[in-house]
Amino acid sequence: MHEQTVDHPFMYTLVAGIWIVFWLSWIVLMFSAKRSTHKVSKNMMIRIVIIATALIVMRLGHFDSGATLTHNMAVRVVGTTMVILGLGFAVWARVHIGRNWSMPKATVEDRDLVTSGPYHYVRHPIYSGLLLALVGTVMSIGWYIAIILVVFGSYFVSSALTEEHMLAREFPKAYPAYRAKTKMLIPFIW
């Protein structure tokens, strides 16, 4: 007999709501960035399609309570907490980098190298926060979200590696020193 848990639709609604608030705040923050030399419209369209697909997959899975990773409420609460912490870390990084933020793999006019705040702990804290939030989403909602984690995770790692090369060219003296003392995505590990 299964222990009493919160309905799967409630967890879906809660986690989906947290993600929606995150993306709305992200869109608002985009308007404060410096001018990019990259075409934002194409990159933004790709993101919108990916996010819409993710939400549809989440919605379809919400009717299948057997698809949850666990019926254990504690695991779901830990997962939801990871979503909140991950997205909070990403927003902190975005606010801290301010006008120096750009779309992934894009260059920015007159960019400054930011190494403080969340950038003191990892070189790509936005990606780190989003990955943590995706792992939490899998724990909260269900295993069928794992495909989204794999797709986004691959994209984030690819983007981080590309940005590493771009930043090393843009800041040839400062970036190698920063890279030597700060991990790329996971504090103290990688």
Side-chain angles (χ1 to χ4, degrees), residues 23 26-36 40 43-44 47 90 93-104 106-109 111-112 114 119 126-127 130 163:
W23 283 114
W26 204 259
I27 290 168
V28 169
L29 288 169
M30 284 178 57
F31 293 105
S32 67
K34 290 180 182 177
R35 187 167 170 233
S36 174
V40 174
N43 202 339
M44 183 53 106
R47 285 174 170 230
R94 173 57 187 90
V95 168
H96 190 76
I97 199 168
R99 293 181 36 83
N100 291 294
W101 176 83
S102 69
M103 297 296 283
T107 57
V108 175
E109 294 178 354
R111 182 190 338 230
D112 299 313
V114 178
Y119 294 86
I126 293 172
Y127 297 145
L130 292 172
E163 290 170 13

Side-chain angles (χ1 to χ4, degrees), residues 1 4 7 11 17 20 27 32 38 60 91 105 108 110 119 127 132-133 137 153 160 167 178:
M1 186 169 162
Q4 190 72 359
D7 258 1
M11 293 307 286
I20 289 168
I27 290 168
S32 67
H38 185 69
L60 292 174
V91 169
K105 305 178 185 180
V108 175
D110 301 319
Y119 294 86
Y127 297 145
L132 179 62
T137 301
L167 290 166
Y178 172 56

Side-chain angles (χ1 to χ4, degrees), residues 26-156:
W26 204 259
I27 290 168
V28 169
L29 288 169
M30 284 178 57
F31 293 105
S32 67
K34 290 180 182 177
R35 187 167 170 233
S36 174
T37 60
H38 185 69
K39 290 190 176 188
V40 174
S41 59
K42 181 180 176 185
N43 202 339
M44 183 53 106
M45 188 57 70
I46 291 169
R47 285 174 170 230
I48 290 170
V49 169
I50 291 171
I51 293 164
T53 302
L55 290 173
I56 289 168
V57 169
M58 289 170 66
R59 182 70 185 153
L60 292 174
H62 128 232
F63 294 109
D64 180 12
S65 62
T68 56
L69 186 64
T70 180
H71 289 283
N72 185 322
M73 185 60 177
V75 172
R76 289 182 179 184
V77 168
V78 167
T80 303
T81 302
M82 289 170 66
V83 171
I84 293 166
L85 291 174
L87 294 179
F89 192 67
V91 169
W92 177 34
R94 173 57 187 90
V95 168
H96 190 76
I97 199 168
R99 293 181 36 83
N100 291 294
W101 176 83
S102 69
M103 297 296 283
K105 305 178 185 180
T107 57
V108 175
E109 294 178 354
D110 301 319
R111 182 190 338 230
D112 299 313
L113 180 62
V114 178
T115 61
S116 59
Y119 294 86
H120 175 76
Y121 303 103
V122 288
R123 295 188 304 272
H124 303 279
I126 293 172
Y127 297 145
S128 299
L130 292 172
L131 286 168
L132 179 62
L134 286 169
V135 170
T137 301
V138 170
M139 293 173 64
S140 300
I141 294 179
W143 62 266
Y144 55 90
I145 302 297
I147 187 69
I148 296 168
L149 172 62
V150 170
V151 170
F152 271 98
S154 300
Y155 176 74
F156 294 153

